[in-house]
Structures are given as C-alpha cells and as structure tokens.
C-alpha cells in the first residue's frame, strides 16, 4: 500500500482547516499558500471531501471551507479511505466477498487479513484533533 499525493494532500488540507479559525470559512487561497498545494489540486480534493460530507463550503468573497463536524470526529483512516479507496494490502481483500479461488488453501490469507486489520485500526485510532493538538511530534506507534 502506498498513499498517493491526493491522500497526503487531503490530510494536510484537513489538518490546516482544523488548525485555523474553526468557526469561520477559510478561503482555499489561504490554505493553498500555507500548504504549498495548487488551488486546482485542492479544488479536486475539496470536491471529493465535500461529496462525503466532511466539509461545509460557502461561495463568494467571504466564502471558503470549514470542517462539517468537530475535529475529534475525523480519523486519518476515514480521510484516506475517501481519497485512496480501500486500504487493503492485497486485492483479494478489497471487497467483502473474497472471490479468490485459492481462498480455502491460501497460506498467506490470515497474514494479509491481520495486516489489513492493523492498518485500519491504526489509522482509525488517530484523529485530526490528535494531529493538531501536539506542539511537537507525537509517537503514534502501536
């Protein structure tokens, strides 16, 4: 599993929103400048995050974006699944109904299932609130 630029930028975007004026709408231009991410790229990300209800937006001169709910209610896992899709480490686990013809004899299936569970548990255990609250790097190791 490799997190794409879109996933990393979406996380940076959400952290930026959580760190700045939580009660006000923040212009995309401001976030673009702070994060060194093009407005065009942020527009693609905000469209996706808005579609899934993570953002509120207002158009116009006083417009911008803000979080749709408190920052402690967003997990890294949720944001990455929206931007990256399934976080399964192997394709046979990408759907609930594992259709692999080797499923019943696969010697590595439990390994991949355990890895997927660990990835999801780890990413779902870290909130935007935790990422923004720490004045210095935090050890998120398991």
């Amino acid at each position: 599993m490799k997190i794409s630029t879109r996933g990393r930028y979406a996380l940076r975007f959400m952290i930026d929103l959580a760190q700045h004026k939580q009660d006000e709408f923040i212009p995309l231009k401001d976030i673009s400048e702070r994060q060194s991410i093009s407005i065009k790229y942020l527009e693609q990300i905000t469209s996706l995050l808005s579609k899934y209800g993570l953002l509120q937006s207002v158009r116009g001169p006083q417009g911008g974006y803000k979080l749709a709910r408190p920052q402690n209610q967003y997990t890294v896992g949720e944001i990455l699944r929206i931007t990256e899709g399934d976080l399964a480490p192997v394709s046979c686990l990408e759907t609930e109904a594992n259709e692999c013809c080797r499923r019943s004899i696969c010697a590595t299936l439990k390994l991949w299932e355990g890895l997927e569970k660990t990835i999801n548990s780890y990413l779902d255990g870290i909130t935007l609130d935790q990422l923004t609250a720490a004045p210095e790097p935090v050890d998120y190791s398991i």
Side-chain angles (χ1 to χ4, degrees), residues 27-43:
L28 209 52
K29 178 180 167 270
D30 294 355
I31 299 169
S32 171
E33 289 171 3
R34 282 193 297 264
Q35 296 299 320
S36 299
I37 303 170
S38 77
I39 290 178
K40 279 276 193 215
Y41 208 143
L42 285 178
E43 286 172 344

Side-chain angles (χ1 to χ4, degrees), residues 12-80:
R12 282 174 45 193
F13 172 81
M14 294 294 283
I15 291 168
D16 192 286
L17 282 179
Q19 290 175 325
H20 296 90
K21 302 178 189 173
Q22 294 175 22
D23 297 340
E24 298 178 26
F25 288 92
I26 301 172
L28 209 52
K29 178 180 167 270
D30 294 355
I31 299 169
S32 171
E33 289 171 3
R34 282 193 297 264
Q35 296 299 320
S36 299
I37 303 170
S38 77
I39 290 178
K40 279 276 193 215
Y41 208 143
L42 285 178
E43 286 172 344
Q44 294 173 21
I45 291 169
T46 57
S47 174
L48 188 58
L49 296 174
S50 295
K51 176 182 172 184
Y52 285 90
L54 273 65
L55 302 175
Q56 291 181 351
S57 63
V58 171
R59 293 181 183 220
Q62 302 301 316
Y65 293 89
K66 70 178 184 178
L67 299 176
R69 51 187 203 254
Q71 63 190 34
N72 67 345
Q73 293 180 11
Y74 293 89
T75 68
V76 171
E78 173 186 26
I79 296 164
L80 291 179

Side-chain angles (χ1 to χ4, degrees), residues 69-132:
R69 51 187 203 254
Q71 63 190 34
N72 67 345
Q73 293 180 11
Y74 293 89
T75 68
V76 171
E78 173 186 26
I79 296 164
L80 291 179
R81 276 188 288 281
I82 287 171
T83 56
E84 300 293 317
D86 197 308
L87 299 174
V90 291
S91 60
C92 65
L93 296 178
E94 288 178 347
T95 61
E96 283 199 31
N98 182 343
E99 302 294 331
C100 179
C101 62
R102 296 184 47 82
R103 180 178 175 77
S104 64
I105 59 168
C106 181
T108 59
L109 181 60
K110 292 294 180 198
L111 167 79
W112 302 129
E113 288 174 339
L115 179 57
E116 179 183 37
K117 182 179 177 184
T118 300
I119 290 168
N120 285 308
S121 176
Y122 177 75
L123 295 175
D124 288 336
I126 302 170
T127 65
L128 281 183
D129 198 37
Q130 290 171 298
L131 293 175
T132 59

